[in-house]
């Protein structure tokens, strides 16, 4: 069975982020042929095209990490009805300079948790718009807006509600199928 390397980006920079807990849960529930690595971005400076001729080492390392994965999973909160600034900054770095977009043809999925009733629906729409422009094929269904209640997911990523666990397990199974489908049409070196 084919193994796929999945890089995941957690939109929140907070150490105790509920989206970090969600990411741990997703990894625990994913099919075993998906291999995960976090791609951190907290040390990136604010992007400016002044860097395009010579990216700083942190930005080069970030882009290099993106090259090593087959697919991307974005696990993000919603800040002011959009994605966090740090995540948008990371996407800007990854898509620059012109002609070196790290997201081109790379399958992606978007999910997020929030204490609010609509989860992260608006942030996800914002992120999907950006990823469309970056030419990243996106898993559009199932959509996943997780309303996070205290104790829903432990610090180790164990989901305490059976229905949520089943939903997240299915979400990751669907992501695996989506990656395989995209990779069969758009091989990594295409």
């Amino acid at each position: 069975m084919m193994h796929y390397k999945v890089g995941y980006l957690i939109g929140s920079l907070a150490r105790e982020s509920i989206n970090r807990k969600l990411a741990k849960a997703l990894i625990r529930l994913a099919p075993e042929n998906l291999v995960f690595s976090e791609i951190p971005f907290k040390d990136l400076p604010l992007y400016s095209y002044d860097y395009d001729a010579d990216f700083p080492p942190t930005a080069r390392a970030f882009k290099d990490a993106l090259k090593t994965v087959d697919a991307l999973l974005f696990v993000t909160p919603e800040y002011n009805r959009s994605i966090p600034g740090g995540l948008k900054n990371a996407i800007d770095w990854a898509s620059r300079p012109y002609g070196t977009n790290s997201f081109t043809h790379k399958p992606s999925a978007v999910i997020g948790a929030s204490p609010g009733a609509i989860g992260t629906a608006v942030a996800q729409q914002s992120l999907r718009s950006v990823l469309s422009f970056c030419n990243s094929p996106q898993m559009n269904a199932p959509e996943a807006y997780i309303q996070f209640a205290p104790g829903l997911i432990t610090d180790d990523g164990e989901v305490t509600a059976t229905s949520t666990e089943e939903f997240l397990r299915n979400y990751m199974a669907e992501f695996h199928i989506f990656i395989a489908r995209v990779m069969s049409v758009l091989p990594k070196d295409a």
Side-chain angles (χ1 to χ4, degrees), residues 55-155:
F55 267 30
T58 54
R60 283 196 305 272
F62 178 68
K63 283 186 70 90
D64 288 345
L66 291 168
K67 285 180 193 173
T68 68
V69 298
D70 300 310
L72 293 163
L73 177 63
F74 293 86
V75 186
T76 187
E78 181 170 301
Y79 290 179
N80 300 319
R81 296 289 186 250
S82 188
I83 59 175
L87 179 57
K88 177 61 168 72
N89 184 55
I91 293 168
D92 290 346
W93 276 107
S95 63
R96 301 291 194 278
Y98 182 81
T100 65
N101 179 4
S102 300
F103 300 116
T104 299
H105 298 166
K106 199 161 294 234
S108 61
V110 177
I111 189 170
S114 168
I118 63 169
T120 56
V122 181
Q124 288 188 40
Q125 280 306 114
S126 177
L127 180 54
R128 289 178 188 283
S129 178
V130 174
L131 292 174
S132 276
F133 180 79
C134 290
N135 200 17
S136 175
Q138 299 170 58
M139 182 175 82
N140 292 313
E143 294 178 318
Y145 314 111
I146 308 303
Q147 183 178 12
F148 193 91
L152 178 65
I153 302 173
T154 68
D155 290 343

Side-chain angles (χ1 to χ4, degrees), residues 51 142 188:
Y51 291 114
K188 192 172 184 175

Side-chain angles (χ1 to χ4, degrees), residues 10 12-21 24 42 155:
I10 301 172
S12 173
L13 299 179
R15 286 186 302 276
E16 301 299 320
S17 167
I18 59 176
N19 284 279
R20 182 165 295 285
K21 289 180 183 183
K24 287 179 183 178
K42 70 179 177 96
D155 290 343

